[in-house]
Amino acid sequence: QKEVEQNSGPLSVPEGAIASLNCTYSDRVSQSFFWYRQYSGKSPELIMSIYSNGDKEDGRFTAQLNKASQYVSLLIRDSQPSDSATYLCAVTKGTSGTYKYIFGTGTRLKVLA
Amino acid sequence: SAVISQKPSRDICQRGTSLTIQCQVDSQVTMMFWYRQQPGQSLTLIATANQGSEATYESGFVIDKFPISRPNLTFSTLTVSNMSPEDSSIYLCSVTGFGEQYFGPGTRLTVT
């Protein structure tokens, strides 16, 4: 079992729709969760972090965390063609001061104009 | 967030040679990491660069192949030694700050 799993996609949604990206992780003691966006040929860019159960909203983005189910998701409202990118889920592993980030393989999102 | 720069941004190297990649951060950071991202793949952690001590390597990566230096809290280098075409990849430096991780622009390496 991979430590962080994502559906590779591509996930295609029409412009203006809600895109829903999902991620599961295997380590129950993970404490910090992140979503990165990576455009082709560019480095990953942090778009959301979430640390406690529930929802966290930032503009058009909402991250959702359910530690009991070991599940984290990212919702993108009013999707735009500029949102077309690969979205990487990351989870921390280890203890403070020695932790590292484990990345999923990413989900490719295509927003159709 | 920290501003991270890497040099070179890209290079084409012959097999058997070595390339040193530099990573510079505009502020002092505790943790620095080196990743590799092969074409169409996700990020693979090579090692954690520790200031003043040897780097901590992940399974499958060894110091002889990927020596790392970290002389201070703002700078690190990664050397890719005795390169082969399988080393063609993007190499990324990253740092953590306030519990979040940020990436440099990457170095695109092609080995011929």
Side-chain angles (χ1 to χ4, degrees):
Chain A
Q1 182 188 7
K2 291 182 181 175
E3 292 184 276
V4 179
E5 295 209 55
Q6 296 179 254
N7 187 318
S8 61
L11 171 66
S12 295
V13 300
E15 183 174 358
I18 296 175
S20 177
L21 305 163
N22 304 315
C23 172
T24 58
Y25 60 95
S26 61
D27 188 350
R28 286 195 168 275
V29 300
S30 295
Q31 293 296 317
S32 305
F33 307 86
F34 307 89
W35 284 98
Y36 288 81
R37 177 175 62 199
Q38 186 173 28
Y39 292 114
S40 181
K42 301 293 186 183
S43 61
E45 171 194 10
L46 178 66
I47 54 172
M48 289 288 288
S49 57
I50 187 166
Y51 305 100
S52 51
N53 280 327
D55 295 0
K56 179 181 177 184
E57 188 174 315
D58 183 359
R60 295 187 296 112
F61 298 99
T62 299
Q64 300 175 317
L65 175 61
N66 184 324
K67 289 186 178 180
S69 300
Q70 295 176 242
Y71 176 94
V72 58
S73 65
L74 179 70
L75 300 178
I76 306 175
R77 288 182 300 282
D78 187 25
S79 296
Q80 300 298 308
S82 59
D83 295 325
S84 298
T86 297
Y87 289 80
L88 300 166
C89 171
V91 172
T92 55
K93 178 176 181 177
T95 57
S96 177
T98 63
Y99 57 81
K100 56 186 179 183
Y101 292 67
I102 308 298
F103 283 81
T105 53
T107 298
R108 194 154 62 95
L109 173 67
K110 294 174 123 176
V111 180
L112 307 172
Chain B
S1 63
V3 176
I4 307 166
S5 60
Q6 283 185 238
K7 286 196 289 190
S9 59
R10 59 179 62 225
D11 207 342
I12 301 173
C13 301
Q14 291 190 339
R15 66 172 68 205
T17 62
S18 298
L19 176 72
T20 295
I21 303 167
Q22 298 180 3
C23 176
Q24 179 75 54
V25 190
D26 69 341
S27 57
Q28 295 186 337
V29 293
T30 304
M31 302 191 77
M32 295 179 77
F33 304 90
W34 287 98
Y35 286 84
R36 180 172 73 182
Q37 187 172 32
Q38 296 182 306
Q41 304 296 314
S42 189
L43 300 164
T44 302
L45 180 63
I46 297 171
T48 303
N50 302 309
Q51 193 267 330
S53 65
E54 197 169 283
T56 304
Y57 289 84
E58 296 300 305
S59 175
F61 297 96
V62 295
I63 187 170
D64 290 346
K65 175 67 175 176
F66 297 100
I68 288 171
S69 79
R70 183 148 183 221
N72 55 53
L73 293 176
T74 64
F75 185 78
S76 178
T77 66
L78 167 75
T79 299
V80 186
S81 304
N82 188 25
M83 288 184 285
S84 68
E86 292 70 38
D87 295 319
S88 296
S89 187
I90 297 173
Y91 291 85
L92 293 151
C93 168
S94 75
V95 305
T96 56
F98 301 103
E100 298 178 341
Q101 187 173 38
Y102 303 95
F103 286 86
T107 296
R108 183 181 294 271
L109 171 62
T110 303
V111 183
T112 60

